[in-house]
Amino acid sequence: MASNRQAPTIKQLEYFAAIAGRSSYRRAAEELGVSQPALTTQIAALESALGLSLFERSRAGTLLTPEGRELLDQARQILLAMRELRENAQMLAQGYQTTYKLGVPPTVGPYLLPNVLPELHARYHALKLYVREGAPRQLQRGLAEGAYDLAIIPLPVTAEDLAVEPLFTEPLKFVVPADHRLAGKPQVMPSQLRGEKVLTLEEQHHFHHQVQEICEDLGAQLQRDYEGTSLDTLRQMVVMGLGVAFLPGLYVHSEMHHPEALHVSELKAQPILRQHGLAWRASAPGRRFYRELAAYTREIIQKRLGDVVTVDSP
């Protein structure tokens, strides 16, 4: 016997995903720009169409029911497929005259993009990039869920649903206060870091975990009680004598033009590097253009920052 239930609509699935992502009808309504009663009505219609409850409300907020959790990923995949269908149609109709959402880590974007974006804009006049910062894990998850179209993220990346083009490899510089025993040396021996108090960023940053591994390898002490919220605060803590630090080469190049209070050096015979790539969903309609974008970005980086980083081959 055929069911008389209406099929779920794309709008209802969008509302479902928004509430699930915010755990709140009110916050989802604000984000979507609709009234809370309209949102409630659409979710009720969706639950009726599916024949089950998707949410339960409690003092802790709006929670997914077990059935809602089961269906959420599939709903997001449907929304992503519809978005890619629209993007593909737009691309076929207009070319690359659209806005792409680009995610970047806060330890990379501010020091890389000012060198890259002007030349990208000069070549692709109709291209618009909406840039948002986020931790690498957030960026990777956001790519998979459609919150970003492109992201610059640390390599390697193992997610099978993402395509990645390497961009460049960046050195990490060793930074000490001007009155430190190792100040004035262009290179220091790795063994000289044993016992040193090393400062780094908070744990949600990929950079934190790389510095943690360095400390474990060299016998240095990671200072968990004094973690920076940004590279600038990390630099200031070194100036104040709270410890030493590793800072990305792009940051040093961009921000430390007159480092009288600090001394920058490198580890002898043990360069410390981090690699960055441009990533997107493997199924994205613009994937051919994204590869072209990655190739041209490498050309720009080589021309403008070739003395700071090493451009990688695809």
Side-chain angles (χ1 to χ4, degrees), residues 8-21 31-32 43 46 71-87 143-147 149 281 283 285:
T9 67
I10 294 298
K11 178 181 288 187
Q12 289 168 352
L13 294 180
E14 287 176 348
Y15 290 2
F16 170 40
I19 298 169
E31 180 180 291
L32 293 165
I43 292 301
L46 176 59
L71 293 175
L72 178 60
D73 185 61
Q74 193 172 1
R76 284 174 169 163
Q77 291 302 314
I78 292 170
L79 292 172
L80 192 54
M82 286 300 298
R83 177 178 172 179
E84 290 179 350
L85 174 68
R86 289 193 296 267
E87 288 177 359
L143 274 177
E145 295 177 356
D149 302 301
R281 292 183 302 281
S283 62

Side-chain angles (χ1 to χ4, degrees), residues 141-195:
R141 185 171 64 249
L143 274 177
E145 295 177 356
Y148 300 103
D149 302 301
L150 296 154
I152 296 173
I153 54 179
L155 302 183
V157 173
T158 57
E160 294 182 358
D161 58 341
L162 298 182
V164 184
E165 281 273 322
L167 292 177
F168 63 94
T169 297
E170 177 186 24
L172 296 186
K173 304 290 188 178
F174 180 58
V175 180
V176 300
D179 59 355
H180 191 275
R181 64 183 178 87
L182 296 176
K185 300 179 184 294
Q187 291 188 323
V188 300
M189 298 297 294
S191 59
Q192 291 179 293
L193 268 69
R194 184 170 297 278

Side-chain angles (χ1 to χ4, degrees), residues 83 99-103 128-131 143 146-151:
R83 177 178 172 179
T99 300
Y100 296 100
K101 294 180 180 178
L102 171 66
K128 295 180 176 63
L129 292 174
Y130 175 57
V131 181
L143 274 177
Y148 300 103
D149 302 301
L150 296 154

Side-chain angles (χ1 to χ4, degrees), residues 205-224:
H205 295 275
H206 182 270
F207 183 72
H208 169 99
H209 299 283
Q210 188 170 12
V211 173
Q212 185 176 33
E213 289 178 9
I214 295 167
C215 291
E216 291 171 356
D217 290 343
L218 301 181
Q221 299 175 12
L222 190 68
Q223 299 297 98
R224 295 301 303 270

